[in-house]
Amino acid sequence: MVSELSPCLLLLFLQPFLCASEATPKPELEPCEVDDEDYRCACNFSGPQPNWFSGLQCMVAVEVEIRAGGRSLDNFLQGADTEPRHYADVLKGLRVRRLTVGAARVPARLLFALLRALGYSRLKELTLEDLEVTGTSLPPLLEAPGPALSALRLHNVSWATGGAWLAELQQWLKPSLKVLSIAQAPSLAFSCEQLRSFPTLTTLDLSDNPGLGERGLAAALCPHKFPALQDLRLRSAGIETLTGVCVALAAATVQPNSLDLSQNALLGTANPSVPGCIWPSALNYLNLSFAGLRKVPKGLPAKLSVLDLSCNRLNKAPRQDELPQVESLTLDGNPFLDPGAHKSHEDTENSSVTQACVHLLLAIGIPGTLTLLQGTRGFA
Ligand SMILES: *[C@@H]1O[C@H](CO)[C@@H](O)[C@H](O)[C@H]1NC(C)=O
Ligand SMILES: *[C@@H]1O[C@H](CO)[C@@H](O)[C@H](O)[C@H]1NC(C)=O
Ligand SMILES: *[C@@H]1O[C@H](CO)[C@@H](O)[C@H](O)[C@H]1NC(C)=O
Ligand SMILES: *[C@@H]1O[C@H](CO)[C@@H](O)[C@H](O)[C@H]1NC(C)=O
């Protein structure tokens, strides 16, 4: 019975001694598997009566992945009150550096208890995937008791606390984060007053949030909270205007040197004369591939190291004076490069150049953006 296991937190392998005296249910299929090198361990607890103790195998692994088949973990809540200090030595000895927890309904209290326990481990990268975080939790008593993560990735995670979630989650993490990536998020409108600064965060990836748009971006980029940001990724983020992005960056006082706007249906211009639109002076990489562009956008930064305009709908080779001063320019996958291209819509749609882009896009995922290439009208 799951309730008998309640002292054994979300991850049994974290608390072997607490769990050791509990009765083991009759094992059905082994939900967990470790590879021969004891490097990677993956558990899939989606069966009707999963043997949670199978997770003990993962104690030796460096990379651990746990999926709970979408079930609710409310039954483990009692374990959330266990004091992790008592088994700190075990936690310190764990080899785990990368952990993925996915497919579950998990109470916030349990999730944060897990983070507190992981504060004794040397975990570096945490991924939360397909989670529904329910309920609320009191803030930690101690300052940042959780792990010193370098990377935190959230993919399709919803929170009962709405826009306050990032500020709450942040309280449990030591301020060491370098990479934060949040995809398919129901809300990226953070409560900026509550949020603390991310002093070491260099990469913020908000890709794969088609509902974000320029407004959402402005709400997500809390001013002065990302002082070290270098790399901002906004692939497939519902962005339509370069001006909106430019204004949002300036308002947030972020100075990225790399900006990925690929896979957004961009309108062709940035308007630097709009008040507040000043490109970050450090910007030297700009990715505008798969953006449905028919022309090189006007108003780009004057100088760039890398400009990617591949897989757009440019019908003519861009003139020198249309382009910024750029060291590396990519124009692959535009109709003007197709040797057999005719001016008719049917031919361009099926052209080998466009087809190559479709394959590329399928390979990198996010199929929704296929519409940026297909069903194109009026190439001529
Ligand atoms: C987990 O196991 C179920 C069947 O028990 C299977 O349908 C599902 O695809 C598995 N998930 C993963 C991520 O392997
Ligand atoms: C997102 O996560 C929820 C669980 O919180 C799950 O039911 C849903 O299927 C997930 N969505 C996708 C697209 O995987
Ligand atoms: C630009 O983004 C696309 C995908 O969105 C990627 O395939 C491509 O490699 C990127 N270009 C550069 C120069 O990094
Ligand atoms: C594109 O090519 C495929 C086969 O390669 C064909 O079935 C399809 O009808 C063509 N589409 C157009 C619009 O010509």
Side-chain angles (χ1 to χ4, degrees):
M1 298 289 283
V2 172
S3 55
E4 284 170 17
L5 306 178
S6 52
C8 320
L9 253 164
L10 173 55
L11 301 173
L12 283 173
F13 74 93
L14 288 178
Q15 306 195 15
F17 298 132
L18 286 175
C19 302
S21 59
E22 306 270 353
T24 314
K26 193 160 62 63
E28 301 167 11
L29 257 181
E30 224 21 281
C32 298
E33 262 184 67
V34 201
D35 66 11
D36 291 342
E37 284 77 41
D38 286 345
Y39 189 82
R40 202 172 171 279
C41 182
C43 302
N44 179 356
F45 294 111
S46 58
Q49 278 207 321
N51 172 18
W52 297 97
F53 283 92
S54 177
L56 288 171
Q57 304 175 51
C58 296
M59 283 194 67
V60 296
V62 175
E63 253 180 55
V64 177
E65 203 176 299
I66 308 223
R67 285 173 211 282
R71 55 167 34 89
S72 161
L73 301 179
D74 287 0
N75 288 330
F76 290 94
L77 206 49
Q78 275 167 279
D81 297 328
T82 314
E83 176 51 59
R85 210 167 2 104
H86 300 322
Y87 50 100
D89 289 342
V90 179
L91 291 163
K92 280 178 194 163
L94 291 175
R95 292 175 73 215
V96 67
R97 296 295 180 272
R98 278 186 290 282
L99 173 65
T100 300
V101 179
R105 286 189 53 173
V106 49
R109 208 151 67 77
L110 182 61
L111 181 64
F112 294 148
L114 172 69
L115 288 177
R116 187 157 75 106
L118 289 168
Y120 291 93
S121 77
R122 283 177 286 167
L123 188 72
K124 285 290 160 221
E125 298 182 20
L126 176 64
T127 302
L128 305 177
E129 234 171 51
D130 300 327
L131 291 188
E132 183 187 342
V133 183
T134 60
T136 53
S137 174
L138 294 173
L141 295 172
L142 299 169
E143 183 79 1
L149 296 180
S150 63
L152 174 64
R153 299 188 177 86
L154 295 98
H155 192 267
N156 182 25
V157 179
S158 66
W159 303 79
T161 48
W165 70 264
L166 184 58
E168 285 180 10
L169 180 60
Q170 184 185 33
Q171 296 180 333
W172 295 88
L173 303 175
K174 299 201 171 64
S176 54
L177 215 53
K178 294 194 176 69
V179 177
L180 174 61
S181 111
I182 309 168
Q184 291 182 24
S187 168
L188 287 169
F190 303 131
S191 318
C192 290
E193 330 66 73
Q194 286 168 266
L195 206 64
R196 299 176 202 186
S197 161
F198 289 93
T200 57
L201 194 82
T202 53
T203 301
L204 180 61
D205 189 347
L206 302 179
S207 299
D208 197 9
N209 287 295
L212 187 66
E214 295 88 315
R215 273 195 203 183
L217 175 65
L221 286 180
C222 293
H224 308 294
K225 305 295 172 160
F226 304 102
L229 192 67
Q230 291 174 15
D231 186 354
L232 181 59
R233 301 183 195 170
L234 298 167
R235 243 181 309 114
S236 189
I239 304 288
E240 291 178 343
T241 68
L242 290 167
T243 308
V245 174
C246 166
V247 169
L249 297 186
T253 64
V254 292
Q255 290 281 325
N257 50 37
S258 165
L259 179 59
D260 185 351
L261 290 172
S262 64
Q263 303 179 39
N264 289 289
L266 293 176
L267 307 173
T269 1
N271 190 350
S273 64
V274 165
C277 172
I278 304 164
W279 290 112
S281 56
L283 193 63
N284 64 35
Y285 167 104
L286 185 57
N287 195 334
L288 300 177
S289 75
F290 298 98
L293 294 169
R294 291 159 199 277
K295 286 185 180 153
V296 178
K298 292 200 173 73
L300 295 180
K303 208 173 154 200
L304 290 168
S305 301
V306 178
L307 176 61
D308 191 339
L309 285 167
S310 60
C311 298
N312 278 294
R313 300 185 196 162
L314 307 180
N315 269 332
K316 281 186 288 194
R319 292 189 318 267
Q320 207 62 46
D321 64 336
E322 290 176 305
L323 291 165
Q325 192 186 330
V326 60
E327 284 160 35
S328 164
L329 174 69
T330 316
L331 290 165
D332 303 344
N334 279 288
F336 81 87
L337 287 169
D338 195 348
H342 301 275
K343 293 288 175 199
S344 82
H345 146 62
E346 283 80 5
D347 285 345
T348 21
E349 186 175 323
N350 243 5
S351 77
S352 57
V353 166
T354 314
Q355 288 303 317
C357 287
V358 170
H359 289 150
L360 189 60
L361 203 49
L362 288 174
I364 56 184
I366 320 189
T369 43
L370 266 179
T371 47
L372 292 175
L373 289 164
Q374 288 179 328
T376 54
R377 295 286 179 270
F379 264 121

